[in-house]
Amino acid sequence: MKIVIFEAARLGDFIESTPLIAGILKSYPGADAGVIALEKSVLEALRLFFPGLPGRLASLPGIGWPGEPDSPKDAGLNDADLENADLLINLSVSPAALEIVESLKPRMVLGPRRNSRGEPEVPPAQKLAMATLALNRRLSRLNLSDIWRSLDPNSPTRLAVPALSPDDLEKAEEVLFAGLPPGLREDIGRGLPLAAFHLGAKNRLRRWPVENHAKLAGLIFKRKPFAAVTLGSREEIPLCLGFGKFRRELCPDVPLINLGGKT
């Protein structure tokens, strides 16, 4: 069976789709499967989360199709593999993505596709989940991962966890421990838990207030001591510094490791 997974969104959306991908691979053992993506970061994550699952880049602007393989290592997906798949899983509602899905002529589509009138059409369960999110994000208990999982009831409820190599873990440890006071380093070595706080989002309206992150850190610490690790891009360093300010005011006992702009 030939399965193509079309991930036209960005890295965060790909990570939230990992329960569905894991479920599909489990539901169709031995299937000839692969992922199409628009960003190299998605393919890099793909290698971590699903080693051996081939992927390649596609270009949506101008419907440039098919895209060039990201590298010779990813050339396992050729043009013939992309067309006439037994199953294509589309994780995008954009008009350009729907046009690409249609051009590949899959035998069956899970996820958004165009109907006979050329309009976007989604499965009823997914439509319900998307409508709930659209009505009120503050009240909804659904996440994007719940929407994609609605396509396959057998998908696991949790995100897939990448298997990191010893080299990856050693590099992560170097970044984590650089500049730490000896006492905190020893506490972590003895098993003090870490909790990561990713403070940013591309759109500021999608960011949870930094002060709320600090309040949450204080609530967690009352139940179980831990060290907070703030994460973010170079542009998000001010958010990490803001977390440090609120931590000093709201939960000064929580040890803090600021990795903003360092990972």
Side-chain angles (χ1 to χ4, degrees), residues 74-143:
D74 291 313
L77 283 178
N78 56 41
D79 299 353
D81 291 327
L82 298 175
E83 295 180 350
N84 301 312
D86 297 297
L87 173 63
L88 189 145
I89 302 157
N90 177 31
L91 305 181
S92 174
V93 294
S94 74
L98 298 179
E99 188 169 335
I100 285 182
V101 169
E102 190 175 82
S103 71
L104 292 178
K105 299 180 176 61
R107 292 181 177 83
M108 182 170 67
V109 176
L110 284 182
R113 65 271 200 184
R114 294 202 296 195
N115 59 24
S116 58
R117 299 184 299 277
E119 301 165 340
E121 184 177 82
V122 296
Q126 185 181 349
K127 186 181 293 185
L128 174 63
M130 294 177 74
T132 304
L133 283 177
L135 285 172
N136 196 324
R137 281 299 289 266
R138 289 177 179 272
L139 295 179
S140 172
R141 301 188 65 83
L142 288 169
N143 199 292

Side-chain angles (χ1 to χ4, degrees), residues 13-229:
D13 296 313
F14 165 76
I15 292 174
E16 291 193 322
S17 69
T18 59
L20 172 65
I21 297 174
I24 290 294
L25 295 177
K26 185 176 181 180
S27 296
Y28 300 94
D32 182 13
V35 173
I36 315 164
L38 295 186
E39 288 195 351
K40 286 190 176 182
S41 61
V42 170
L43 294 185
E44 291 167 3
L46 179 68
R47 295 183 195 120
L48 283 175
F49 281 80
F50 303 101
L53 186 62
R56 68 180 294 171
L57 289 177
S59 175
L60 273 185
I63 316 298
W65 187 262
E68 292 300 317
D70 181 35
S71 70
K73 184 178 178 181
D74 291 313
L77 283 178
N78 56 41
D79 299 353
D81 291 327
L82 298 175
E83 295 180 350
N84 301 312
D86 297 297
L87 173 63
L88 189 145
I89 302 157
N90 177 31
L91 305 181
S92 174
V93 294
S94 74
L98 298 179
E99 188 169 335
I100 285 182
V101 169
E102 190 175 82
S103 71
L104 292 178
K105 299 180 176 61
R107 292 181 177 83
M108 182 170 67
V109 176
L110 284 182
R113 65 271 200 184
R114 294 202 296 195
N115 59 24
S116 58
R117 299 184 299 277
E119 301 165 340
E121 184 177 82
V122 296
Q126 185 181 349
K127 186 181 293 185
L128 174 63
M130 294 177 74
T132 304
L133 283 177
L135 285 172
N136 196 324
R137 281 299 289 266
R138 289 177 179 272
L139 295 179
S140 172
R141 301 188 65 83
L142 288 169
N143 199 292
L144 186 64
S145 58
D146 299 299
I147 293 177
W148 296 138
R149 281 178 46 245
S150 72
L151 299 177
D152 181 4
N154 297 320
S155 295
T157 57
R158 300 192 178 197
L159 299 180
V161 179
L164 297 179
S165 70
D167 288 343
D168 292 327
L169 293 172
E170 188 174 333
K171 290 175 185 175
E173 195 172 89
E174 288 176 7
V175 174
L176 179 66
F177 287 140
L180 283 190
L184 180 54
R185 183 168 184 164
E186 291 169 3
D187 288 342
I188 294 174
R190 285 195 290 264
L192 179 71
L194 303 175
F197 290 80
H198 188 80
L199 307 171
K202 188 156 292 187
N203 186 326
R204 65 180 182 81
L205 296 176
R206 298 175 64 185
R207 294 176 187 163
W208 204 40
V210 174
E211 182 179 2
N212 287 3
H213 281 281
K215 289 178 180 178
L216 176 61
L219 291 171
I220 297 173
F221 192 82
K222 287 179 181 179
R223 293 197 171 199
K224 185 177 180 66
F226 74 101
V229 183

